[in-house]
Each structure stands twice: as C-alpha cells, then as structure tokens.
Amino acid sequence: MDVFKLSLLFYVLSFAMLPSSLAQDSPQDFVNGHNAARAQVGVGPVRWDESVANFARQFANQRINDCQLMHSGGPFGENIAKHSSDMSGTDAVQMWVDEKPFYNPRTNTCAAGKVCGHYTQVVWRNSVRIGCAKVRCTNNRGTFITCNYDPPGNISSERPFSTDPLIKIAK
C-alpha cells in the first residue's frame, strides 16, 4: 500500500473513531430531537433561530468556568443540563424528553416527587423558535448545555400541547 492510500486510510479511521457526541451537537440535531418529541404529541415543529442561539451561547459561556446548573433569568424559556463528562446535545434533549412519563396531561401536573417541566418546555406548542449551546467546562468540570425557547412555555394556567381548558378535579 502506498503512502497516499495509507494516509487516507488513517484519516478516515481517525474520523470514524471520534466520539459520537461530536456529530450530535449541530443546530439540526437539537431541532430534530425537539421535533421528534413534539410530533409524538401532535405539536408543530420548532425551527432554529440565530438570535435565540446567540443568547444561549452567551449564557453557556458564562457557565464555562463553574458549570453550575443555574438558569439565566433571561427573556426565553430555558432547559439546562450538566454532565460530569461529555454529553451531546442530542443526549440532553433526550434527558428532558425522558421526563414524559411523569407528566399527566389530564391534570397538567407532574407525578409526586418527579420533575417534568423540561419535557413540557420541549413540547410547548407556542414555543416555535429555539437556540441551544454547549460548552465543555474548564478544569474537567464536565459539559453544560442550554436550550432557549421563544416564546417561553410552562405557563401555569396553560397546557403544553393542548388548547383544552384545564379540568378542575373534585377532591
């Protein structure tokens, strides 16, 4: 095998061995993860918005030195995730969607002792623009990921994927 073919083979194998998370952090990866969950409940798709993404990038960069799970307090809806090592954007979205079993659409509540607000933000029918960002935190503190949503969801008097009025449940 000549040097060119050997170099080409090495180059191809090098890319094949890269962590899969590198291929799961693109804007389209974030959009696809959200839209798959939204389609399951009959909600229209989200689209990537550069203005929202710029906000997400600025906020993620603020967390790069401490990787703390703190919300931005900004004008958008927001989901955040942290992992002690590398986490892909696709994995973060899946982690939020994995809260689905804890959400009761009939009562618009989470199961006792469970969290489901990340899931409801992912599928919030009025949130149609998203922007997400990922940073590897300094000093091996892990990965911080944020997705922001415009307009924000999780409005307490509304349902995430239905316009049906909330049902009052007699006690």
Side-chain angles (χ1 to χ4, degrees):
M1 187 178 286
D2 67 18
V3 173
F4 174 75
K5 287 181 182 176
L6 189 59
S7 296
L8 182 60
L9 178 63
F10 178 74
Y11 181 76
V12 169
L13 288 175
S14 295
F15 275 100
M17 296 171 68
L18 286 174
S20 62
S21 64
L22 293 178
Q24 299 175 336
D25 295 329
S26 73
Q28 195 59 52
D29 293 323
F30 283 105
V31 167
N32 290 347
H34 280 79
N35 286 341
R38 294 167 71 87
Q40 288 180 355
V41 293
V43 175
V46 294
R47 66 176 173 79
W48 189 261
D49 183 279
E50 255 328 292
S51 296
V52 179
N54 283 333
F55 180 87
R57 282 190 283 274
Q58 288 174 2
F59 178 60
N61 284 323
Q62 290 175 14
R63 299 273 56 94
I64 201 165
N65 290 319
D66 60 23
C67 217
Q68 289 185 359
L69 280 176
M70 296 174 54
H71 284 282
S72 68
F76 303 111
E78 186 170 74
N79 278 339
I80 55 178
K82 174 186 170 182
H83 195 277
S84 60
S85 62
D86 193 25
M87 169 189 258
S88 72
T90 302
D91 290 339
V93 175
Q94 187 59 54
M95 182 176 71
W96 301 325
V97 171
D98 285 346
E99 295 176 359
K100 181 180 181 177
F102 308 131
Y103 175 67
N104 182 335
R106 189 165 92 55
T107 61
N108 197 37
T109 59
C110 297
K114 299 293 183 180
V115 174
C116 65
H118 304 101
Y119 168 70
T120 55
Q121 177 59 81
V122 167
V123 297
W124 199 266
R125 71 187 178 287
N126 293 335
S127 296
V128 293
R129 291 173 295 282
I130 67 166
C132 305
K134 169 185 169 177
V135 294
R136 293 282 294 156
C137 299
T138 58
N139 299 322
N140 295 318
R141 288 196 173 106
T143 305
F144 180 89
I145 295 175
T146 181
C147 283
N148 292 96
Y149 304 83
D150 187 39
N154 287 339
I155 299 165
S156 62
S157 63
E158 296 181 20
R159 295 178 182 278
F161 46 82
S162 169
T163 57
D164 293 341
L166 291 175
I167 301 166
K168 300 283 186 197
I169 298 177
K171 294 189 179 200

